[in-house]
Amino acid sequence: MTSIDTTAPPLDLEPEPGRPAMLRVPPTDDPAGWVADAWSGIRAALVGHGAVLVRGLGLRDVEDVGAVLRRTAVEPVSEREAFAPRRTHSPGVHSSSAWPPNQPMCMHHELSYTLGFPGLLLFACLSEPTAGGATGLADAAAVLDALPRELAERFEREGWLLTRSYNGEIGATLTDAFGSDDPGAVERYCRDHAVDWAWQPDGTLRTWQRRSAVVRHPVDGRRCWFNQIAFLNRWTLAPEVAEYLIDEYGADGLPFNTWYGDGEPIEEEVVRILNSVYEEHTVRMPWQAGDLLLVDNIRTAHSREAYEGPREVVVAMASPTRLETGSVAEEAELR
């Protein structure tokens, strides 16, 4: 378990119903230095709240975000198995996933379908949208407690299955996901990361991977609903998008889909229940330029509302964490 400095002075957080815990700070010429000085208190606050919004730092560009990551000395995470393309600005610092502005991104935990995922996310708003675009947050332990018992127990017992189809047109390419389009390199990655694969007659790739749906948090041991079962399921797609993809690639050729751990299809009603429980536990954070949002990726799921106008939110992924059977074990401390 990660060692947290419980002697750090508490931060003056502003709790507000329907919003994440917020810390207002005075303007500073050195936002990375301010975060580094306050890091022990921020980490302690994350244990209690799961997410903390820091407002007033005045982050201006991706260099500022990279400096925050370096000064806090958390280990960056290089993304693999992305479900949508994104740009890498510097080690650990990425653009938001390419996703249509008029379509919301449902609740999920970043890279929860991989064996090694970021334990910590740092979102920075460099340009706020003119309308919409808020980031939603949901407590994963509370979500698990609110799910129908039999449903939660089935997923906890069986896990969940993710299937993907890399057709080169929709979703991530092989290079986006694996860092290479060389078949040998792709197969080595899959073999090393418990991913089953099959090359199709047309040269495209399909993969299958089974993962835990419920894990224990490495700091306090609480059980968390940690997965992307609803977000990556076909029933969460807009009906017209799903219809087009199935007509074009077939039901087995969707860019991604999720299943019960035993391979049985997940019913539309189940996906509706999952998204409904998420909605009941969602707090929303409208962005202001310069904001920094820190998220415990295991404790807290996040989403993105549809938006209009320019919106530039970059994400720094940090603290590599490895998925074990029914639990997680950190590979790097969140210092």
Side-chain angles (χ1 to χ4, degrees):
M1 289 189 180
T2 299
S3 176
I4 301 297
D5 183 4
T6 57
T7 66
L11 300 176
D12 187 16
L13 298 174
E14 298 180 12
E16 182 179 345
R19 300 286 177 89
M22 182 165 64
L23 174 65
R24 294 185 187 271
V25 301
T28 174
D29 293 330
D30 184 13
W34 186 94
V35 175
D37 290 342
W39 191 237
S40 292
I42 290 172
R43 287 292 299 120
L46 277 172
V47 172
H49 297 277
V52 175
L53 169 65
V54 182
R55 176 156 288 170
L57 278 178
L59 297 170
R60 298 159 298 178
D61 49 38
V62 294
E63 286 75 19
D64 282 349
V65 182
V68 168
L69 193 60
R70 291 191 299 273
R71 291 288 297 275
T72 53
V74 287
E75 182 181 352
V77 170
S78 297
E79 184 179 40
R80 285 293 182 265
E81 300 183 55
F83 64 83
R86 67 165 102 223
R87 299 188 309 278
T88 297
H89 296 295
S90 61
V93 181
H94 311 271
S95 69
S96 297
S97 296
W99 200 259
N102 64 342
Q103 295 182 23
M105 295 179 70
C106 297
M107 280 291 176
H108 63 286
H109 298 263
E110 203 68 38
L111 299 177
S112 60
Y113 48 84
T114 66
L115 289 185
F117 53 86
L120 177 68
L121 305 174
L122 297 85
F123 294 96
C125 179
L126 306 181
S127 177
E128 62 194 70
T130 54
T135 291
L137 302 166
D139 186 305
V143 168
L144 176 60
D145 289 343
L147 289 173
R149 178 175 297 180
E150 289 186 4
L151 180 64
E153 287 179 347
R154 177 174 183 178
F155 277 115
E156 187 165 13
R157 182 174 63 252
E158 297 179 3
W160 62 294
L161 181 69
L162 171 67
T163 58
R164 301 185 65 172
S165 180
Y166 298 89
N167 55 47
E169 296 182 34
I170 303 295
T173 65
L174 291 179
T175 301
D176 292 330
F178 302 105
S180 172
D181 61 1
D182 175 69
V186 171
E187 291 177 9
R188 283 192 296 274
Y189 179 94
C190 291
R191 190 178 298 112
D192 291 343
H193 293 82
V195 177
D196 294 325
W197 74 90
W199 297 100
Q200 303 304 298
D202 61 0
T204 60
L205 177 71
R206 292 184 184 173
T207 62
W208 300 261
Q209 56 209 88
R210 183 172 288 102
R211 299 292 185 252
S212 299
V214 177
V215 302
R216 290 192 178 275
H217 195 282
V219 173
D220 58 18
R222 75 178 68 193
R223 294 162 60 251
C224 295
W225 180 251
F226 179 76
N227 55 70
Q228 287 173 229
I229 292 169
F231 179 32
L232 297 180
N233 189 272
R234 61 161 293 184
W235 295 116
T236 296
L237 290 170
E240 64 275 12
V241 174
E243 182 178 355
Y244 165 77
L245 292 174
I246 291 173
D247 287 345
E248 189 73 13
Y249 301 105
D252 292 333
L254 290 173
F256 39 76
N257 198 7
T258 62
W259 313 74
Y260 289 109
D262 62 2
E264 289 295 314
I266 297 175
E267 302 86 350
E268 182 178 10
E269 173 66 9
V270 167
V271 176
R272 187 196 66 77
I273 290 171
L274 296 178
N275 285 326
S276 176
V277 172
Y278 273 133
E279 178 61 29
E280 292 168 1
H281 291 82
T282 295
V283 297
R284 289 178 171 81
M285 204 261 330
W287 286 106
Q288 291 183 16
D291 283 347
L292 176 67
L293 176 67
L294 301 107
V295 177
D296 180 325
N297 188 39
I298 301 169
R299 168 78 180 277
T300 305
H302 67 278
S303 64
R304 190 217 71 191
E305 295 182 348
Y307 66 93
E308 298 176 2
R311 179 189 189 272
E312 186 177 9
V313 174
V314 300
V315 58
M317 304 182 194
S319 186
T321 307
R322 183 153 182 97
L323 183 66
E324 306 288 353
T325 304
S327 64
V328 291
E330 287 193 301
E331 296 182 330
E333 281 196 0
L334 307 186
R335 294 185 290 270

